[in-house]
Amino acid sequence: MAELRTDRLILRRWCDSDLEPWAAMNADPEVREHLGDLLTREQSDASVARFQAEFDERGYGWWAVEVQDTGEFIGFAGLDRVDDGMPFTGVEIGWRLARSAWGQGYASEAALTVLAYGFDSLELPEILAVTTATNLRSQAVMRRIGMTRDPADDFDDPTAPEGPLRPSVLYRIPRSSG
């Protein structure tokens, strides 16, 4: 599994020491605001096991994100196949950071590195990003990393319950031909 580095971050394989802060993130209502229900410790740990298995199977997935200078785990960033049943197919980019890491440019920094990996190493023709229509912070990151949205692609997420988490937006970025 490739380890990715930026000026400030390391995107790496998950470690046992990540489980506690990851569980805390998944139990934080602000972090989960646009994602649905809070996760129990067991659900949170199981998600990491799935991330590892998918990475081992495909060679890409969700990297744990750590601050280089401190070694602090701050969340995840990576690539995943679009879930079955969505009104589009492809590979999507995503990120989730602890509240203490918000507003420092880490999401954009990690996402740009993940985009480069997806285009340069995996040779993906396009990368997608999906979020709720109300998640303006993630949409701002999508725009900062060069993604664009066509409102005609907006959709109701069939996996979300009726309510504010269902209306969703789709952003795209093609691999440059240069």
Side-chain angles (χ1 to χ4, degrees):
M1 168 179 147
E3 180 177 279
L4 306 178
R5 289 181 175 262
T6 72
D7 288 342
R8 301 182 298 162
L9 304 173
I10 300 171
L11 284 69
R12 56 159 174 77
R13 189 167 187 86
W14 292 75
C15 321
D16 288 343
S17 62
D18 300 330
L19 296 176
E20 180 100 13
W22 175 244
M25 284 178 57
N26 286 314
D28 183 331
E30 285 188 69
V31 171
R32 300 278 314 165
E33 178 183 3
H34 301 284
L35 301 168
D37 294 335
L38 302 180
L39 300 185
T40 65
R41 176 61 190 259
E42 294 74 24
Q43 291 169 318
S44 184
D45 289 355
S47 69
V48 171
R50 276 193 316 277
F51 299 160
Q52 292 288 54
E54 290 168 353
F55 225 120
D56 291 344
E57 175 187 320
R58 296 191 300 241
Y60 67 89
W62 302 117
W63 283 272
V65 177
E66 156 185 321
V67 177
Q68 273 192 54
D69 288 346
T70 64
E72 177 189 7
F73 168 87
I74 59 168
F76 81 20
L79 298 165
D80 196 14
R81 290 187 191 129
V82 170
D83 293 337
D84 291 338
M86 296 301 256
F88 49 87
T89 59
V91 173
E92 68 176 301
I93 190 172
W95 48 84
R96 188 176 321 155
L97 299 179
R99 270 191 293 144
S100 62
W102 292 2
Q104 299 179 52
Y106 290 144
S108 298
E109 188 173 329
L112 285 168
T113 298
V114 169
L115 280 179
Y117 181 83
F119 290 139
D120 299 342
S121 297
L122 301 178
E123 299 183 348
L124 297 170
E126 176 182 63
I127 296 176
L128 310 173
V130 175
T131 193
T132 60
T134 57
N135 190 345
L136 302 181
R137 292 174 69 95
S138 274
Q139 290 182 55
V141 172
M142 293 169 191
R143 289 189 302 274
R144 275 195 294 276
I145 65 172
M147 302 186 94
T148 57
R149 172 183 166 217
D150 179 346
D153 290 335
D154 292 355
F155 66 102
D156 284 342
D157 184 341
T159 67
E162 284 295 333
L165 298 182
R166 185 163 268 197
S168 298
V169 296
L170 174 65
Y171 279 73
R172 300 174 182 270
I173 187 168
R175 186 164 103 205
S176 63
S177 54

